[in-house]
Amino acid sequence: MILDQLRRRRGRALALAAGILVAATSFTLLTSTVSTSQATTVGTVRKNARSAYDVLVRPPDSQTAVERQNGLVAPNFLSGTFGGITMDQYRRIRGLAGVDVAAPVANIGYLMVSSTVTVDVSRFLDSRASRQILRISPTLTSGLGAYRTSDEYVYLTRSPLTSAGKQEDLFQSDTLEQGAVDKSTQRYRLKGKYDVCFYFNWDKTEQTEFNLNLPMRPNFIAEDLREKSPFDPDLSSRMNCQSGRDKATVDVPVSYPVLLSAVDPAAEDELVGLGSTVTSGRMLTERDKPWTVSSAKSVHGQHDSYIPALLSDDPLTTGTLDATVQRLDVGDPAELPSKLGNPTADSFVRGLHGTTVGTTRVDLGKGYRKALTEDSFDTGNYWTVGPVTYRRTSDGNLAAQPQPPQKRSLWVTAADQQPFRNVPEENHQGTQYRKVTSHAATNCVGLGTCDGVDSGRLPNPFVRLVGRYDTGRLRGFSALSDTPLETYQSPQVTGADAATRAKLQGRPLRPDRNLGGYLSPPPTMLTTMDSITALTKSRRVAGLQDRAPVSAIRIRVAGVTGVDTASRARVNAVAGAIRAAYPRLQVDVTVGSSPAPRTVALSGSARVTERWVAKGVALRILRAVDTKSAVLFVLVLVVCALFLGQAALASVRSRRTEIGTLRCLGWSGGEVLRLVLGELAVIGLAAGAAGALLAYALGRLLGQPAAGAKALLVLPVALLLATTAGLIPAWLATRLGPMEAVRPPVTAARRAARPVRSVAGLAVLNLLRVRGRTLLGAAGLALGVAAFTVLLALTLAFRGEVAGSLLGSAVVAQAREADYLSVALSLLLGAAGAIDVLVISQRERAADLAVLRATGWTDRELARLTLYEGIGLALLGGLSGAVAGLAGVLALGRGVLHGHLFTVTGAALLATLAATALVVAALTVPIRRLSRIAPAHLLAAE
């Protein structure tokens, strides 16, 4: 009976089989895609959840308002922190249960290292001149700024330059030259020669000795510069005196800030592998402690104290010198030695007219390696800097707050009030974002003890290098979970807009030599924790670093493998223990964090993007993935099941007369039930077999790794969906009495209050007459649009919840395919169910259409009537689905629609229009078929 029914009604059976095939295959592929996407996302999160450390401990009040409000850690947090955690606190934290590694960082301060950058100017020389002077006017370009630096000079003579000294070696010179003697300058000669470099470089006072008519002769006593500003470019202006032909260089004075920080070598090596970065010498060890040499071995005094240090090969600052070269009009070359060899040399050279002969460029970093000797590092003064202050802008981004210009007193020696030479130009010409503080050393260097004003303090130590390291050799961590390693890496900052990127010439923004600048260079010199006291206790004025020298503690927790429940519990236990022991310390859980780019305005025309760190990103992603996957699974199941339910119900409705006849012949309700379910089961098995092959092919095409195993599920899924979806229609079929089954399904029309005068009006009336059909068709569209609305809102909310970090962006990119596929197919399945109901309904009403045609209606008018009914049905279902979908989203709560209300509402309305277009397009097929059937034939069948 079942097989005979299927053969006799092949069209209906094939249509229902196609529906089951589409639903089962779609369900299998969608759930497979969702599961694969979830597994991929979880795998990505777990793989990238662990970074260098799990917990970051900082001093009290070190967390900025921006960090507190947004769950962030600033990328440059270490550069503005100099002390705040005591050594006792560090030792107790290190000994807490669960702590695997506790790596402290104690920032001491910035040392200023002087050196020179050599610029070859040979190609600008006049090959015919016996003596000549070139002026080099450099401009320093660093980051977003360009700074004019002091003029430098080179004096080239073909005459030999000789050496000579005064009695008792109180003065030694290598730049003595024979030249034409001038009566006004002959008294400045030394052994019959002029010193052509001394007066320009070391004595610009143009004074006589002791204010008498005696010449100021070269001597070892430094020039008194107390009246000079440390920002005066003349202090850095030098002349290079050379002898030769067609070969000349200029040594441009430069200074580099070197941040000295103390670390625990063993902990640092275990945390990040510092030992593998050593390029020469050896690694610091726990045995490296400060030491003092005896007076017999002292080179600076009675007793010299030293600290061990490891030095970076890279200055970690950037800059380029672009120099304009001028050839000066010197007049008679024979008179140059006498004009340069007296106190008026400076004013003479600066007054010379020059002709520009070219430009040259040199990397500022080239001078750093010249300075990598022990005598280059003077601990007499060091400087500390404060943090950057931010404010919120109207567009929700950040703006760095400028600070007042640096005071000149920062760059003056405490002992004799002499200005420092070669202060980096960025410090007085560049914008300041940090407060800079100077820390002067005691004035008892080389002595075992300090007396007088420095009583009770220690003499400042000297630096002894044990090795050098290259931060580029650090073992890498995942870029998606990279927490700041500010002990070794500069912040990653790029231009946020086209104008800023153009200023940076497409390169990232790097720290410059401005201590008060936005980006501060990370530590360039490392020493041991035991050396802290030798440095902090040698300052004249005691400060926070005396009492609490540690700036941060980075902690790796034992037994942590990712962001699983056990690992999170271990990390939270350690963080909780630290908070309980020291409530005022700032404790940040960084496991599962990820870089979160933020836009920062540095000025009205400069905006940069830098990588702040968002805390707890991995955990938020996993929670969001679980929620989204569960909702996707449920919605896909409901859409597929109701799609088949609509098809089965429509099929039963189309057989009302047949079922009524069977009941009249004595068939029981159970027999009718078995008949309907048997037909659906056979159709489901056939559709499932075909769907298995289709699912396998599509799975391979979509790149699903488990396409074969998932395809095997189509057969049982198809059978289950077919029988489950047919239960209600089959049960309804058993409830039909014989007379009710043969009664037309169209409700009799009541007398209208107003006559129907248009095709649209008749379409509305027809929809009201067949309320069951109308509601059934509208339900399919409503379900599709509602599912589309919920899925779209959930997808947008998921992306909004996890976006803003590099790990979140990677996860969103991986999940995009499954999201789009689920959203699109939910709408298509819902629309397909409605179309199936409409097509069968049109067959039911074929007699009505035939009557209208017999009474004079044209095919065009009948087509318009059918289309108007379809449009009305589609709009009813689509708008109802949009409202239901928005209500469902609101019911989910948790701010799912926050920021997406207009987007989701607009998408729901567009989905309604798309569903309407699908319905209209689908109705063209039955309209054409009905137009080819004669009214007499249809009425006879009725």
Side-chain angles (χ1 to χ4, degrees):
M1 180 67 178
I2 292 175
L3 295 178
D4 183 63
Q5 287 289 324
L6 294 177
R7 283 194 299 271
R8 289 177 56 246
R9 296 179 179 270
R10 288 189 297 271
R12 176 177 57 79
L14 289 175
L16 187 57
I20 295 175
L21 174 68
V22 171
T25 305
S26 299
F27 173 75
T28 303
L29 286 179
L30 280 175
T31 53
S32 173
T33 303
V34 170
S35 300
T36 302
S37 174
Q38 182 182 18
T40 303
T41 298
V42 172
T44 299
V45 171
R46 289 178 176 172
K47 179 181 178 181
N48 297 282
R50 194 83 188 275
S51 59
Y53 50 92
D54 305 315
V55 178
L56 174 65
V57 182
R58 290 185 286 172
D61 302 323
S62 59
Q63 189 182 46
T64 65
V66 174
E67 290 178 304
R68 285 193 301 271
Q69 294 167 4
N70 298 276
L72 301 173
V73 176
N76 221 12
F77 73 89
L78 189 59
S79 62
T81 306
F82 289 82
I85 303 174
T86 67
M87 291 298 295
D88 287 340
Q89 289 173 330
Y90 157 62
R91 295 187 187 100
R92 182 174 176 183
I93 290 172
R94 183 180 59 184
L96 289 175
V99 173
D100 182 24
V101 179
V105 178
N107 288 335
I108 305 300
Y110 288 93
L111 309 179
M112 197 59 64
V113 180
S114 297
S115 184
T116 59
V117 173
T118 300
V119 181
D120 191 338
V121 293
S122 302
R123 58 193 174 100
F124 304 113
L125 294 170
D126 183 355
S127 60
R128 298 166 298 177
S130 59
R131 292 183 176 94
Q132 57 187 306
I133 300 176
L134 297 182
R135 177 187 290 133
I136 294 86
S137 302
T139 298
L140 169 65
T141 301
S142 182
L144 295 168
Y147 313 100
R148 182 71 172 85
T149 69
S150 59
D151 290 339
E152 308 297 328
Y153 299 86
V154 59
Y155 169 63
L156 183 66
T157 176
R158 295 184 182 180
S159 301
L161 297 179
T162 60
S163 300
K166 294 180 67 175
Q167 292 181 354
E168 301 178 357
D169 292 329
L170 295 180
F171 177 79
Q172 182 73 31
S173 175
D174 297 322
T175 56
L176 300 180
E177 182 183 12
Q178 184 75 46
V181 179
D182 185 271
K183 291 183 180 181
S184 63
T185 61
Q186 61 179 349
R187 56 181 175 167
Y188 296 101
R189 291 190 300 166
L190 180 65
K191 295 186 178 182
K193 297 180 179 180
Y194 289 99
D195 193 326
V196 292
C197 262
F198 172 79
Y199 290 101
F200 185 91
N201 290 339
W202 301 107
D203 193 350
K204 299 179 174 65
T205 60
E206 300 189 23
Q207 296 177 353
T208 55
E209 191 171 9
F210 307 117
N211 294 322
L212 302 174
N213 291 325
L214 298 175
M216 174 68 78
R217 304 292 293 275
N219 61 83
F220 73 98
I221 301 176
E223 182 180 10
D224 187 358
L225 300 172
R226 281 177 293 183
E227 300 302 322
K228 286 281 189 178
S229 166
F231 300 147
D232 190 335
D234 285 352
L235 288 177
S236 302
S237 184
R238 293 289 183 271
M239 178 179 288
N240 292 251
C241 298
Q242 303 164 19
S243 176
R245 177 191 295 269
D246 302 332
K247 181 67 176 177
T249 58
V250 177
D251 290 330
V252 179
V254 292
S255 293
Y256 301 92
V258 172
L259 178 55
L260 174 60
S261 298
V263 298
D264 180 333
E268 214 64 35
D269 188 37
E270 190 172 356
L271 188 72
V272 297
L274 181 61
S276 64
T277 69
V278 176
T279 57
S280 62
R282 63 173 176 82
M283 173 67 178
L284 285 170
T285 69
E286 294 180 344
R287 297 187 301 273
D288 288 319
K289 304 177 186 298
W291 72 95
T292 302
V293 300
S294 63
S295 58
K297 297 181 180 180
S298 175
V299 297
H300 302 96
Q302 298 175 3
H303 298 279
D304 292 341
S305 59
Y306 290 88
I307 60 170
L310 192 67
L311 184 66
S312 170
D313 283 337
D314 190 338
L316 302 179
T317 56
T318 184
T320 303
L321 282 175
D322 291 281
T324 300
V325 182
Q326 290 184 325
R327 191 180 297 146
L328 303 186
D329 301 329
V330 299
D332 186 358
E335 298 178 357
L336 272 179
S338 65
K339 292 180 179 179
L340 296 176
N342 72 86
T344 63
D346 181 71
S347 57
F348 164 71
V349 172
R350 295 187 185 281
L352 294 176
H353 177 267
T355 302
T356 300
V357 291
T359 59
T360 187
R361 170 176 289 186
V362 64
D363 183 1
L364 194 66
K366 287 186 175 181
Y368 176 74
R369 287 178 175 81
K370 288 185 180 180
L372 302 189
T373 62
E374 293 177 1
D375 291 336
S376 302
F377 305 102
D378 180 13
T379 62
N381 270 74
Y382 62 69
W383 293 262
T384 59
V385 302
V388 175
T389 302
Y390 297 93
R391 64 174 177 83
R392 283 283 184 184
T393 59
S394 57
D395 57 2
N397 292 318
L398 303 176
Q401 294 281 73
Q403 298 291 322
Q406 292 184 21
K407 297 180 180 179
R408 297 179 177 183
S409 57
L410 290 173
W411 302 97
V412 174
T413 59
D416 53 10
Q417 297 298 302
Q418 296 294 310
F420 285 90
R421 294 179 182 268
N422 307 325
V423 177
E425 287 75 13
E426 301 96 310
N427 286 275
H428 56 94
Q429 297 183 35
T431 305
Q432 305 300 306
Y433 296 97
R434 304 173 184 272
K435 180 182 179 181
V436 183
T437 304
S438 175
H439 302 267
T442 55
N443 194 25
C444 50
V445 61
L447 302 177
T449 59
C450 296
D451 297 323
V453 69
D454 295 329
S455 178
R457 308 299 290 173
L458 298 176
N460 61 298
F462 298 95
V463 175
R464 178 67 56 85
L465 298 180
V466 301
R468 294 174 185 164
Y469 67 99
D470 179 7
T471 57
R473 296 189 177 187
L474 282 176
R475 65 169 181 251
F477 297 92
S478 170
L480 301 182
S481 60
D482 191 18
T483 49
L485 291 177
E486 290 206 340
T487 316
Y488 312 101
Q489 297 174 351
S490 297
Q492 300 183 39
V493 181
T494 56
D497 51 36
T500 306
R501 288 191 290 270
K503 290 181 181 179
L504 292 172
Q505 299 180 354
R507 295 188 292 266
L509 180 65
R510 295 280 306 277
D512 56 19
R513 302 174 303 160
N514 183 4
L515 296 187
Y518 181 68
L519 295 183
S520 294
T524 318
M525 180 183 290
L526 303 177
T527 188
T528 60
M529 300 297 290
D530 291 325
S531 301
I532 294 176
T533 300
L535 292 159
T536 60
K537 295 291 186 181
S538 66
R539 301 303 100 181
R540 282 193 156 181
V541 179
L544 175 64
Q545 291 176 307
D546 285 270
R547 307 184 306 274
V550 180
S551 304
I553 306 173
R554 295 151 300 150
I555 296 173
R556 181 187 295 164
V557 178
V560 174
T561 58
V563 289
D564 55 280
T565 303
S567 295
R568 295 201 306 269
R570 292 186 179 100
V571 173
N572 291 333
V574 171
I578 298 173
R579 294 189 182 104
Y582 303 108
R584 296 191 65 244
L585 293 182
Q586 176 61 47
V587 182
D588 293 310
V589 175
T590 58
V591 65
S593 300
S594 178
R598 290 293 184 273
T599 299
V600 180
L602 301 183
S603 65
S605 59
R607 294 161 56 86
V608 297
T609 299
E610 62 178 336
R611 293 170 61 170
W612 291 56
V613 174
K615 297 181 292 184
V617 170
L619 185 58
R620 292 200 304 272
I621 290 176
L622 292 179
R623 289 173 177 169
V625 167
D626 290 341
T627 301
K628 187 192 73 165
S629 298
V631 175
L632 283 176
F633 183 85
V634 171
L635 283 178
V636 168
L637 178 62
V638 170
V639 168
C640 292
L642 290 186
F643 166 73
L644 290 178
Q646 286 177 319
L649 184 60
S651 176
V652 171
R653 285 173 58 86
S654 67
R655 300 173 60 192
R656 289 169 59 91
T657 303
E658 177 186 334
I659 293 173
T661 302
L662 292 175
R663 293 300 303 275
C664 290
L665 295 176
W667 279 53
S668 66
E671 290 173 324
V672 171
L673 178 66
R674 289 194 296 272
L675 174 65
V676 174
L677 290 181
E679 292 181 10
L680 291 176
V682 172
I683 294 173
L685 285 174
L693 298 176
L694 180 61
Y696 177 78
L698 291 176
R700 301 283 293 184
L701 183 63
L702 294 174
Q704 294 296 323
K710 295 293 184 182
L712 295 177
L713 295 176
V714 176
L715 183 61
V717 167
L719 179 61
L720 180 64
L721 287 176
T723 54
T724 303
L727 281 176
I728 294 178
W731 179 78
L732 291 177
T734 65
R735 305 290 295 176
L736 288 174
M739 296 305 297
E740 185 182 359
V742 298
R743 187 180 301 150
V746 180
T747 304
R750 299 179 181 178
R751 182 178 299 276
R754 295 181 182 180
V756 177
R757 300 181 182 277
S758 65
V759 176
L762 182 58
V764 173
L765 183 62
N766 287 338
L767 290 176
L768 294 176
R769 291 177 60 202
V770 285
R771 298 182 182 89
R773 176 184 67 81
T774 301
L775 294 177
L776 184 64
L781 284 176
L783 178 64
V785 174
F788 172 85
T789 305
V790 173
L791 287 174
L792 179 62
L794 194 65
T795 300
L796 292 175
F798 168 72
R799 295 180 183 178
E801 188 170 355
V802 305
S805 65
L806 298 187
L807 181 58
S809 299
V811 166
V812 166
Q814 291 174 346
R816 186 177 295 123
E817 179 182 337
D819 293 343
Y820 288 162
L821 189 60
S822 301
V823 168
L825 283 181
S826 67
L827 179 62
L828 290 176
L829 284 175
I835 292 171
D836 186 36
V837 172
L838 282 172
V839 170
I840 295 179
S841 178
Q842 288 299 312
R843 291 178 181 175
E844 289 181 356
R845 300 181 59 248
D848 292 348
L849 299 177
V851 170
L852 292 175
R853 182 181 297 164
T855 58
W857 281 52
T858 64
D859 288 343
R860 177 183 291 274
E861 290 172 327
L862 291 175
R864 286 170 55 197
L865 176 64
T866 303
L867 287 178
Y868 287 162
E869 290 181 15
I871 292 174
L873 182 65
L875 290 177
L876 175 62
L879 294 176
S880 300
V883 173
L886 291 174
V889 172
L890 292 175
L892 290 176
R894 297 188 301 178
V896 175
L897 275 181
H898 179 69
H900 305 298
L901 177 60
F902 293 107
T903 302
V904 174
T905 302
L909 295 177
L910 288 177
T912 300
L913 294 178
T916 304
L918 287 174
V919 170
V920 170
L923 285 177
T924 58
V925 176
I927 288 174
R928 289 185 178 181
R929 291 182 61 184
L930 291 174
S931 65
R932 291 195 292 267
I933 300 177
H937 180 74
L938 289 174
L939 291 175
E942 181 67 14

